[in-house]
Structure formats: C-alpha cells, structure tokens
C-alpha cells in the first residue's frame, strides 16, 4: 500500500478490539494504536498528581501542561509521560474507573484526537477505540465495528480476571455528549459472539483487501472517492 492508511476498529468493551487489532496489524505490518491506553495514561497521570478526575476543569488543565511523547515500540504506539511508560499500571480497576470520568471531557477528547492523528508519522495504522471511524479518522475507507453478546463479553473479561459492569460502561460510552460510541457510516459491523479471533481478524483482513481493490479500481477509472 503506497500511502499510509488507517484501519479503524471501534466497538463495545470486551468485543475483541485489542486482540484483533494486534492480529491485523501483525498480518499487514502496520503499527497498532490502542487509544484506550492513551485515555488510561491521562487518568493514571491525574491519579499520580492527585488531580480530581471528576473535575473536568482540573483534568483539562492537566492536558494543557503534561509533557508527553509518542513512541513506536515494536509496532505498538506508547504514550510516554515525562519519558515514562506506565505499562501494567494502566490496567488497575482504579485507573479503569478514573478513565470513564476523564473520557467524557470535551477538551480531553480534542487533545486525544490531535495526538491520535499524529500517529500517522509511524506509517499505516490499525487504531482501536470508540470514536476512531466517527471522529478521529472519519475519512478512512477502512472502518470496522466489533460487538458481541453481553454474556459473552462478560465471560471474556472474567477469564482475564476482571469483573466489571460492562453494560454500565457501554451505556456511558454510548451516551456521552462528546464523540459517543456509535457505528460509523460505512463501517463493517462484526458480531463475533461465536467467532474465534482468527476468524474475526480473517474477516477484517479480507474486507480490507476487498475495499482496497475496489478503491484502486475506482482510482484507475478516474472516480473521485
Ligand atoms: O478500551 P479500554 O477499555 O482500554 O478503554 C478505556 C476507557 O477509555 C473506556 O472507558 C472507554 C474510553 N475510550 C474512549 O472513550 N475513546 C476511545 N477512543 C478509547 C477509549
């Protein structure tokens, strides 16, 4: 693929976004961006700095002053704070809960959108999140929306040792005013309740090839897309 392209994978919590984004990125040699980890990094930093994550003004102020950089480490983008990668500290239940609060702040979403678009400096991307196809890279032709039955998603989280109320999290993600979770126009919707990750990622890869071929054929015919 000559120009960098972005494959946007959005969807509900525990719908397999991370697993499949990783598999698709590996198969294509693209760089993987986990935007949830970027939101978690801000929540983690606020907790470190003892900033109240339920105070939108205080959180927006952190966004204006924190010192961050993006790094491509073995094909996965990391958001570093003062040169540090928080690593597994991003996965605690305290950080998960704080992330839900900071992710609704419009100034935070603006900051994240800009940083996420900067990731194109690393080349073609597989970017996963909640608003990638609708808000961050709405211009991409490669949009996917993953979902699975709530029972199956709860089972997957429990298998990772995490018990959380996914229905409540989905509701918060879908009902917030700023960039809510929704199916992007033109997205291929995949319900993978009864599918393996090999099947889901295979379906994504086949659809990417189909859309790329259609786009190249349209280009040869001089169709402006
Ligand atoms: O995918 P995750 O569980 O790591 O996401 C953590 C939180 O961040 C979750 O509450 C949804 C939110 N999020 C978001 O609002 N927009 C994104 N693009 C990615 C994550």
């Amino acid at each position: 693929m000559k120009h960098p392209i972005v494959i946007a994978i959005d969807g509900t919590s525990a719908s397999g976004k991370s697993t499949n984004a990783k598999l698709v990125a590996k198969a294509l040699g693209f760089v993987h961006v986990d935007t949830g980890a970027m939101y978690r990094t801000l929540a983690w930093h606020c907790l470190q700095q003892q900033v109240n994550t339920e105070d939108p003004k205080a959180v927006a102020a952190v966004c204006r002053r924190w010192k961050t950089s993006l790094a491509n480490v073995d094909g996965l983008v990391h958001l570093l704070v003062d040169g540090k990668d928080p690593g597994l500290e991003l996965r605690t239940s305290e950080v998960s809960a704080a992330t839900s609060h900071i992710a609704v702040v419009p100034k935070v979403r603006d900051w994240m959108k800009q940083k996420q678009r900067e990731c194109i400096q690393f080349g073609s991307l597989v970017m996963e999140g909640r608003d990638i196809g609708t808000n961050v890279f709405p211009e991409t032709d490669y949009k996917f929306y993953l979902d699975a039955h709530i029972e199956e998603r709860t089972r997957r989280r429990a298998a990772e040792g995490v018990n959380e109320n996914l229905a409540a999290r989905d509701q918060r993600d879908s009902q917030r005013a700023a960039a809510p979770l929704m199916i992007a126009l033109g997205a291929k919707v995949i319900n993978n309740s009864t599918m393996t990750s090999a099947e889901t990622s295979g379906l994504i890869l086949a659809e990417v090839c189909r859309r790329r071929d259609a786009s190249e054929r349209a280009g040869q015919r001089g169709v402006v897309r």
Side-chain angles (χ1 to χ4, degrees), residues 35-36 39-40 91 99-100 103 109 129-131 169 173 176:
T35 61
Y39 283 92
R40 286 171 182 272
R91 304 290 152 191
T99 307
S100 286
R109 300 209 73 88
R130 303 294 191 291
D131 63 338
R169 189 127 85 92
D173 285 340
R176 66 170 169 246

Side-chain angles (χ1 to χ4, degrees), residues 1-57:
M1 291 175 185
K2 288 168 243 136
H3 305 293
I5 68 160
V6 176
I7 299 174
I9 303 183
D10 292 305
T12 50
S13 297
S15 60
K17 295 187 298 296
S18 289
T19 305
N20 289 294
K22 214 173 290 167
L23 289 170
V24 170
K26 191 154 184 251
L28 296 172
F30 286 12
V31 171
H32 173 201
V33 188
D34 173 358
T35 61
M38 296 173 76
Y39 283 92
R40 286 171 182 272
T41 301
L42 175 60
W44 169 85
H45 182 64
C46 287
L47 293 173
Q48 293 273 307
Q49 302 289 307
Q50 299 184 334
V51 170
N52 179 1
T53 53
E54 294 185 42
D55 177 349
K57 280 199 179 126

Side-chain angles (χ1 to χ4, degrees), residues 56 60 63-64 104-112:
C63 262
R64 283 196 299 274
V104 302
V105 178
K107 285 270 189 308
V108 167
R109 300 209 73 88
D110 291 347
W111 190 95
M112 290 289 169

